[in-house]
Structures are given as structure tokens and as C-alpha cells.
Amino acid sequence: MPNDSRTTVRNAWKAFASHDPGRIAAVLTEDAEWLAPEGNATAVALGCPSHLVGREAIVRFLAEDFPRLFARDVEVVLHGIHADGDRVTVEETMTATLADGGRYANDYCFVFELRDGLVHRVREYMDTARGHRMIFGADPAR
């Protein structure tokens, strides 16, 4: 299938959005990693590391931690999914209502590395200053 890796990533997004630990675990390798920019607002607000190592850590973050900050109305608009073998790049915008009732909107780019049909590594890129403004109301340097 020419779009097999894209389909794998689309299915992974659906599993992540479900917040169901079993569904999330099923799309990740045991030694999966999720790397986000150091000091990003989500990690700071939740007291979580920006580099998650292992299936269990990623499942816990997506099933338990993420919903504590992004409380409802989470919507992801995909702008593009680009695949080159087992490497898939996703461009998206995420909006949500934060736990304190504030609105969140930010643009993201994710690079997924697949292994044996599962997500092995995710590298996450976003506008970190905008994330801080959305979550804390100020730039991180202030």
C-alpha cells in the first residue's frame, strides 16, 4: 500500500485522541520515545518531562496528563501528512479549552518514525512562545 505509513499515523492519532490506555499502547513500540521542546508550556504546566521514554510513559501522558490541561473541545485540524517510507511528517493546528476555561490554539509539526508498523519515535515541534502565552498569559522569558 503506498499510503500504509500515513494510515498507521492517522490510526495512531485516533488512538491518542481516545485517551484509552489500551488503544494508545497498541500503536506504540515498547521502547517508544516522544521528544518535545525543552520547557514547552504543556510540560511545564503539567510538571511532566518534555522527553517521554517508553510506552508506559507516553500512555500515561496521553491518557491521564494531557486531559488535565486540555480539558475539552480538543480539535486537531490536519494540514498535511507527508510520508517517506517509515518517516511521516504531520502538520496540524490544535485547539482546545484549557482546564481554567481559557482557549488554546497552536500550530504543530510532528515527525513520526515507525518500526514494524508501530510508532517508535515522535519529534514534536511547535511555537513554544505562543504556547506559553496561551497557557500562562505571558512569554516564558518574563
Side-chain angles (χ1 to χ4, degrees):
M1 291 178 145
N3 293 332
D4 192 51
S5 57
R6 283 188 257 196
T7 300
T8 298
V9 170
R10 283 182 191 273
N11 290 337
W13 272 126
K14 290 175 187 173
F16 300 161
S18 76
H19 304 296
D20 177 272
R23 284 186 64 192
I24 297 166
V27 301
L28 299 168
T29 63
E30 180 76 29
D31 60 344
E33 292 182 78
W34 193 299
L35 298 96
E38 188 71 34
N40 72 79
T42 301
V44 171
L46 292 170
C48 297
S50 58
H51 182 181
L52 301 169
V53 179
R55 179 188 294 147
E56 287 182 29
I58 297 169
V59 168
R60 185 174 40 258
F61 176 80
L62 292 172
E64 299 173 20
D65 297 328
F66 182 92
R68 288 189 296 128
L69 180 60
F70 301 102
R72 60 188 180 283
D73 307 320
V74 177
E75 183 180 356
V76 172
V77 176
L78 297 177
H79 302 296
I81 298 180
H82 312 279
D84 183 10
D86 283 340
R87 186 167 294 197
V88 181
T89 304
V90 177
E91 299 171 279
E92 68 170 54
T93 299
M94 184 182 89
T95 58
T97 300
L98 298 169
D100 68 2
R103 287 296 298 155
Y104 181 87
N106 208 350
D107 297 315
Y108 292 82
C109 180
F110 294 89
V111 178
F112 285 78
E113 294 176 32
L114 308 177
R115 187 175 71 202
D116 300 325
L118 298 172
V119 175
H120 173 62
R121 183 173 293 120
V122 179
R123 286 180 286 132
E124 175 180 352
Y125 303 93
M126 86 283 285
D127 182 338
T128 55
R130 184 176 185 184
H132 275 269
R133 284 192 306 273
M134 297 259 107
I135 292 174
F136 300 113
D139 287 333
R142 292 185 188 173

PDB file of all heavy atoms in Angstrom, residues 62-85:
ATOM      1  N   LEU A  62      -0.649  10.683  27.622  1.00  0.00           N
ATOM      2  CA  LEU A  62      -1.796  10.911  26.735  1.00  0.00           C
ATOM      3  C   LEU A  62      -3.139  10.540  27.374  1.00  0.00           C
ATOM      4  O   LEU A  62      -4.157  11.169  27.089  1.00  0.00           O
ATOM      5  CB  LEU A  62      -1.609  10.135  25.426  1.00  0.00           C
ATOM      6  CG  LEU A  62      -0.473  10.638  24.535  1.00  0.00           C
ATOM      7  CD1 LEU A  62      -0.255   9.691  23.368  1.00  0.00           C
ATOM      8  CD2 LEU A  62      -0.743  12.054  24.043  1.00  0.00           C
ATOM      9  N   ALA A  63      -3.147   9.533  28.234  1.00  0.00           N
ATOM     10  CA  ALA A  63      -4.400   9.080  28.839  1.00  0.00           C
ATOM     11  C   ALA A  63      -4.762   9.850  30.109  1.00  0.00           C
ATOM     12  O   ALA A  63      -5.942  10.051  30.401  1.00  0.00           O
ATOM     13  CB  ALA A  63      -4.320   7.586  29.155  1.00  0.00           C
ATOM     14  N   GLU A  64      -3.741  10.287  30.860  1.00  0.00           N
ATOM     15  CA  GLU A  64      -4.015  10.903  32.163  1.00  0.00           C
ATOM     16  C   GLU A  64      -3.621  12.376  32.240  1.00  0.00           C
ATOM     17  O   GLU A  64      -4.401  13.200  32.712  1.00  0.00           O
ATOM     18  CB  GLU A  64      -3.278  10.126  33.263  1.00  0.00           C
ATOM     19  CG  GLU A  64      -3.713   8.685  33.378  1.00  0.00           C
ATOM     20  CD  GLU A  64      -2.854   7.886  34.350  1.00  0.00           C
ATOM     21  OE1 GLU A  64      -2.169   8.507  35.207  1.00  0.00           O
ATOM     22  OE2 GLU A  64      -2.860   6.652  34.251  1.00  0.00           O
ATOM     23  N   ASP A  65      -2.407  12.710  31.820  1.00  0.00           N
ATOM     24  CA  ASP A  65      -1.903  14.064  31.999  1.00  0.00           C
ATOM     25  C   ASP A  65      -2.497  15.061  31.006  1.00  0.00           C
ATOM     26  O   ASP A  65      -2.987  16.122  31.407  1.00  0.00           O
ATOM     27  CB  ASP A  65      -0.374  14.081  31.899  1.00  0.00           C
ATOM     28  CG  ASP A  65       0.292  13.274  32.996  1.00  0.00           C
ATOM     29  OD1 ASP A  65      -0.268  13.219  34.112  1.00  0.00           O
ATOM     30  OD2 ASP A  65       1.360  12.694  32.744  1.00  0.00           O
ATOM     31  N   PHE A  66      -2.436  14.753  29.726  1.00  0.00           N
ATOM     32  CA  PHE A  66      -2.929  15.654  28.680  1.00  0.00           C
ATOM     33  C   PHE A  66      -4.350  16.147  28.969  1.00  0.00           C
ATOM     34  O   PHE A  66      -4.604  17.355  28.898  1.00  0.00           O
ATOM     35  CB  PHE A  66      -2.840  14.941  27.318  1.00  0.00           C
ATOM     36  CG  PHE A  66      -3.269  15.775  26.155  1.00  0.00           C
ATOM     37  CD1 PHE A  66      -2.340  16.539  25.451  1.00  0.00           C
ATOM     38  CD2 PHE A  66      -4.584  15.789  25.733  1.00  0.00           C
ATOM     39  CE1 PHE A  66      -2.730  17.304  24.362  1.00  0.00           C
ATOM     40  CE2 PHE A  66      -4.983  16.558  24.649  1.00  0.00           C
ATOM     41  CZ  PHE A  66      -4.056  17.312  23.964  1.00  0.00           C
ATOM     42  N   PRO A  67      -5.306  15.266  29.337  1.00  0.00           N
ATOM     43  CA  PRO A  67      -6.675  15.738  29.583  1.00  0.00           C
ATOM     44  C   PRO A  67      -6.817  16.639  30.817  1.00  0.00           C
ATOM     45  O   PRO A  67      -7.811  17.347  30.947  1.00  0.00           O
ATOM     46  CB  PRO A  67      -7.483  14.451  29.776  1.00  0.00           C
ATOM     47  CG  PRO A  67      -6.647  13.353  29.230  1.00  0.00           C
ATOM     48  CD  PRO A  67      -5.232  13.803  29.364  1.00  0.00           C
ATOM     49  N   ARG A  68      -5.830  16.635  31.717  1.00  0.00           N
ATOM     50  CA  ARG A  68      -5.896  17.533  32.873  1.00  0.00           C
ATOM     51  C   ARG A  68      -5.712  18.992  32.450  1.00  0.00           C
ATOM     52  O   ARG A  68      -6.239  19.891  33.101  1.00  0.00           O
ATOM     53  CB  ARG A  68      -4.814  17.182  33.901  1.00  0.00           C
ATOM     54  CG  ARG A  68      -5.074  15.913  34.657  1.00  0.00           C
ATOM     55  CD  ARG A  68      -4.098  15.723  35.816  1.00  0.00           C
ATOM     56  NE  ARG A  68      -2.720  15.580  35.368  1.00  0.00           N
ATOM     57  CZ  ARG A  68      -1.694  16.311  35.831  1.00  0.00           C
ATOM     58  NH1 ARG A  68      -1.872  17.216  36.758  1.00  0.00           N
ATOM     59  NH2 ARG A  68      -0.474  16.104  35.370  1.00  0.00           N
ATOM     60  N   LEU A  69      -4.957  19.247  31.385  1.00  0.00           N
ATOM     61  CA  LEU A  69      -4.719  20.608  30.910  1.00  0.00           C
ATOM     62  C   LEU A  69      -5.673  20.969  29.778  1.00  0.00           C
ATOM     63  O   LEU A  69      -6.297  22.023  29.801  1.00  0.00           O
ATOM     64  CB  LEU A  69      -3.265  20.749  30.441  1.00  0.00           C
ATOM     65  CG  LEU A  69      -2.863  22.123  29.923  1.00  0.00           C
ATOM     66  CD1 LEU A  69      -3.031  23.196  31.000  1.00  0.00           C
ATOM     67  CD2 LEU A  69      -1.420  22.091  29.423  1.00  0.00           C
ATOM     68  N   PHE A  70      -5.765  20.098  28.795  1.00  0.00           N
ATOM     69  CA  PHE A  70      -6.647  20.329  27.640  1.00  0.00           C
ATOM     70  C   PHE A  70      -7.953  19.600  27.943  1.00  0.00           C
ATOM     71  O   PHE A  70      -8.158  18.457  27.558  1.00  0.00           O
ATOM     72  CB  PHE A  70      -5.972  19.831  26.359  1.00  0.00           C
ATOM     73  CG  PHE A  70      -4.650  20.511  26.111  1.00  0.00           C
ATOM     74  CD1 PHE A  70      -3.457  19.868  26.397  1.00  0.00           C
ATOM     75  CD2 PHE A  70      -4.599  21.806  25.620  1.00  0.00           C
ATOM     76  CE1 PHE A  70      -2.232  20.491  26.189  1.00  0.00           C
ATOM     77  CE2 PHE A  70      -3.377  22.450  25.415  1.00  0.00           C
ATOM     78  CZ  PHE A  70      -2.191  21.781  25.698  1.00  0.00           C
ATOM     79  N   ALA A  71      -8.836  20.298  28.684  1.00  0.00           N
ATOM     80  CA  ALA A  71      -9.972  19.662  29.348  1.00  0.00           C
ATOM     81  C   ALA A  71     -11.110  19.262  28.418  1.00  0.00           C
ATOM     82  O   ALA A  71     -11.786  18.264  28.669  1.00  0.00           O
ATOM     83  CB  ALA A  71     -10.508  20.584  30.445  1.00  0.00           C
ATOM     84  N   ARG A  72     -11.337  20.033  27.367  1.00  0.00           N
ATOM     85  CA  ARG A  72     -12.466  19.699  26.479  1.00  0.00           C
ATOM     86  C   ARG A  72     -12.315  20.427  25.136  1.00  0.00           C
ATOM     87  O   ARG A  72     -11.444  21.258  24.972  1.00  0.00           O
ATOM     88  CB  ARG A  72     -13.800  20.026  27.131  1.00  0.00           C
ATOM     89  CG  ARG A  72     -14.006  21.457  27.494  1.00  0.00           C
ATOM     90  CD  ARG A  72     -15.287  21.673  28.335  1.00  0.00           C
ATOM     91  NE  ARG A  72     -15.451  23.061  28.665  1.00  0.00           N
ATOM     92  CZ  ARG A  72     -14.778  23.719  29.593  1.00  0.00           C
ATOM     93  NH1 ARG A  72     -13.868  23.098  30.291  1.00  0.00           N
ATOM     94  NH2 ARG A  72     -14.989  24.993  29.814  1.00  0.00           N
ATOM     95  N   ASP A  73     -13.183  20.068  24.231  1.00  0.00           N
ATOM     96  CA  ASP A  73     -13.229  20.691  22.897  1.00  0.00           C
ATOM     97  C   ASP A  73     -11.903  20.594  22.149  1.00  0.00           C
ATOM     98  O   ASP A  73     -11.563  21.483  21.364  1.00  0.00           O
ATOM     99  CB  ASP A  73     -13.639  22.179  22.980  1.00  0.00           C
ATOM    100  CG  ASP A  73     -14.923  22.408  23.751  1.00  0.00           C
ATOM    101  OD1 ASP A  73     -15.845  21.607  23.586  1.00  0.00           O
ATOM    102  OD2 ASP A  73     -14.976  23.376  24.549  1.00  0.00           O
ATOM    103  N   VAL A  74     -11.147  19.537  22.397  1.00  0.00           N
ATOM    104  CA  VAL A  74      -9.874  19.366  21.697  1.00  0.00           C
ATOM    105  C   VAL A  74     -10.174  19.027  20.243  1.00  0.00           C
ATOM    106  O   VAL A  74     -10.921  18.095  19.952  1.00  0.00           O
ATOM    107  CB  VAL A  74      -9.018  18.255  22.341  1.00  0.00           C
ATOM    108  CG1 VAL A  74      -7.731  18.047  21.547  1.00  0.00           C
ATOM    109  CG2 VAL A  74      -8.712  18.586  23.799  1.00  0.00           C
ATOM    110  N   GLU A  75      -9.612  19.817  19.364  1.00  0.00           N
ATOM    111  CA  GLU A  75      -9.795  19.587  17.932  1.00  0.00           C
ATOM    112  C   GLU A  75      -8.452  19.701  17.247  1.00  0.00           C
ATOM    113  O   GLU A  75      -7.677  20.620  17.516  1.00  0.00           O
ATOM    114  CB  GLU A  75     -10.768  20.599  17.333  1.00  0.00           C
ATOM    115  CG  GLU A  75     -11.030  20.350  15.863  1.00  0.00           C
ATOM    116  CD  GLU A  75     -12.005  21.355  15.263  1.00  0.00           C
ATOM    117  OE1 GLU A  75     -12.548  22.204  15.980  1.00  0.00           O
ATOM    118  OE2 GLU A  75     -12.199  21.270  14.033  1.00  0.00           O
ATOM    119  N   VAL A  76      -8.178  18.753  16.376  1.00  0.00           N
ATOM    120  CA  VAL A  76      -6.954  18.753  15.591  1.00  0.00           C
ATOM    121  C   VAL A  76      -7.350  18.858  14.123  1.00  0.00           C
ATOM    122  O   VAL A  76      -8.137  18.049  13.631  1.00  0.00           O
ATOM    123  CB  VAL A  76      -6.134  17.468  15.837  1.00  0.00           C
ATOM    124  CG1 VAL A  76      -4.960  17.387  14.874  1.00  0.00           C
ATOM    125  CG2 VAL A  76      -5.660  17.415  17.286  1.00  0.00           C
ATOM    126  N   VAL A  77      -6.821  19.875  13.464  1.00  0.00           N
ATOM    127  CA  VAL A  77      -7.034  20.047  12.031  1.00  0.00           C
ATOM    128  C   VAL A  77      -5.722  19.707  11.344  1.00  0.00           C
ATOM    129  O   VAL A  77      -4.700  20.369  11.581  1.00  0.00           O
ATOM    130  CB  VAL A  77      -7.469  21.488  11.690  1.00  0.00           C
ATOM    131  CG1 VAL A  77      -7.581  21.670  10.179  1.00  0.00           C
ATOM    132  CG2 VAL A  77      -8.783  21.832  12.376  1.00  0.00           C
ATOM    133  N   LEU A  78      -5.744  18.653  10.563  1.00  0.00           N
ATOM    134  CA  LEU A  78      -4.552  18.228   9.826  1.00  0.00           C
ATOM    135  C   LEU A  78      -4.412  19.067   8.554  1.00  0.00           C
ATOM    136  O   LEU A  78      -5.366  19.179   7.787  1.00  0.00           O
ATOM    137  CB  LEU A  78      -4.643  16.748   9.468  1.00  0.00           C
ATOM    138  CG  LEU A  78      -4.699  15.773  10.639  1.00  0.00           C
ATOM    139  CD1 LEU A  78      -4.863  14.353  10.132  1.00  0.00           C
ATOM    140  CD2 LEU A  78      -3.460  15.888  11.504  1.00  0.00           C
ATOM    141  N   HIS A  79      -3.242  19.656   8.363  1.00  0.00           N
ATOM    142  CA  HIS A  79      -2.983  20.447   7.164  1.00  0.00           C
ATOM    143  C   HIS A  79      -2.214  19.643   6.131  1.00  0.00           C
ATOM    144  O   HIS A  79      -2.226  19.994   4.956  1.00  0.00           O
ATOM    145  CB  HIS A  79      -2.201  21.707   7.519  1.00  0.00           C
ATOM    146  CG  HIS A  79      -2.894  22.567   8.514  1.00  0.00           C
ATOM    147  ND1 HIS A  79      -4.108  23.184   8.272  1.00  0.00           N
ATOM    148  CD2 HIS A  79      -2.563  22.889   9.787  1.00  0.00           C
ATOM    149  CE1 HIS A  79      -4.480  23.870   9.337  1.00  0.00           C
ATOM    150  NE2 HIS A  79      -3.563  23.699  10.275  1.00  0.00           N
ATOM    151  N   GLY A  80      -1.547  18.581   6.584  1.00  0.00           N
ATOM    152  CA  GLY A  80      -0.806  17.748   5.655  1.00  0.00           C
ATOM    153  C   GLY A  80      -0.156  16.583   6.363  1.00  0.00           C
ATOM    154  O   GLY A  80       0.245  16.695   7.519  1.00  0.00           O
ATOM    155  N   ILE A  81      -0.125  15.468   5.658  1.00  0.00           N
ATOM    156  CA  ILE A  81       0.596  14.285   6.123  1.00  0.00           C
ATOM    157  C   ILE A  81       1.507  13.876   4.976  1.00  0.00           C
ATOM    158  O   ILE A  81       1.033  13.597   3.878  1.00  0.00           O
ATOM    159  CB  ILE A  81      -0.356  13.130   6.503  1.00  0.00           C
ATOM    160  CG1 ILE A  81      -1.264  13.548   7.651  1.00  0.00           C
ATOM    161  CG2 ILE A  81       0.447  11.891   6.885  1.00  0.00           C
ATOM    162  CD1 ILE A  81      -2.233  12.458   8.093  1.00  0.00           C
ATOM    163  N   HIS A  82       2.795  13.879   5.242  1.00  0.00           N
ATOM    164  CA  HIS A  82       3.782  13.601   4.211  1.00  0.00           C
ATOM    165  C   HIS A  82       4.605  12.398   4.643  1.00  0.00           C
ATOM    166  O   HIS A  82       5.150  12.393   5.744  1.00  0.00           O
ATOM    167  CB  HIS A  82       4.676  14.824   4.005  1.00  0.00           C
ATOM    168  CG  HIS A  82       3.892  16.093   3.876  1.00  0.00           C
ATOM    169  ND1 HIS A  82       3.292  16.467   2.709  1.00  0.00           N
ATOM    170  CD2 HIS A  82       3.577  17.046   4.792  1.00  0.00           C
ATOM    171  CE1 HIS A  82       2.649  17.611   2.895  1.00  0.00           C
ATOM    172  NE2 HIS A  82       2.803  17.977   4.152  1.00  0.00           N
ATOM    173  N   ALA A  83       4.661  11.394   3.794  1.00  0.00           N
ATOM    174  CA  ALA A  83       5.356  10.154   4.155  1.00  0.00           C
ATOM    175  C   ALA A  83       6.526   9.884   3.229  1.00  0.00           C
ATOM    176  O   ALA A  83       6.456  10.128   2.021  1.00  0.00           O
ATOM    177  CB  ALA A  83       4.382   8.986   4.109  1.00  0.00           C
ATOM    178  N   ASP A  84       7.591   9.373   3.831  1.00  0.00           N
ATOM    179  CA  ASP A  84       8.744   8.884   3.103  1.00  0.00           C
ATOM    180  C   ASP A  84       9.150   7.590   3.802  1.00  0.00           C
ATOM    181  O   ASP A  84       9.867   7.617   4.810  1.00  0.00           O
ATOM    182  CB  ASP A  84       9.874   9.905   3.129  1.00  0.00           C
ATOM    183  CG  ASP A  84      11.086   9.455   2.319  1.00  0.00           C
ATOM    184  OD1 ASP A  84      10.985   8.442   1.586  1.00  0.00           O
ATOM    185  OD2 ASP A  84      12.144  10.110   2.430  1.00  0.00           O
ATOM    186  N   GLY A  85       8.623   6.484   3.329  1.00  0.00           N
ATOM    187  CA  GLY A  85       8.881   5.200   3.973  1.00  0.00           C
ATOM    188  C   GLY A  85       8.292   5.173   5.368  1.00  0.00           C
ATOM    189  O   GLY A  85       7.108   5.454   5.556  1.00  0.00           O
TER     190      GLY A  85
END
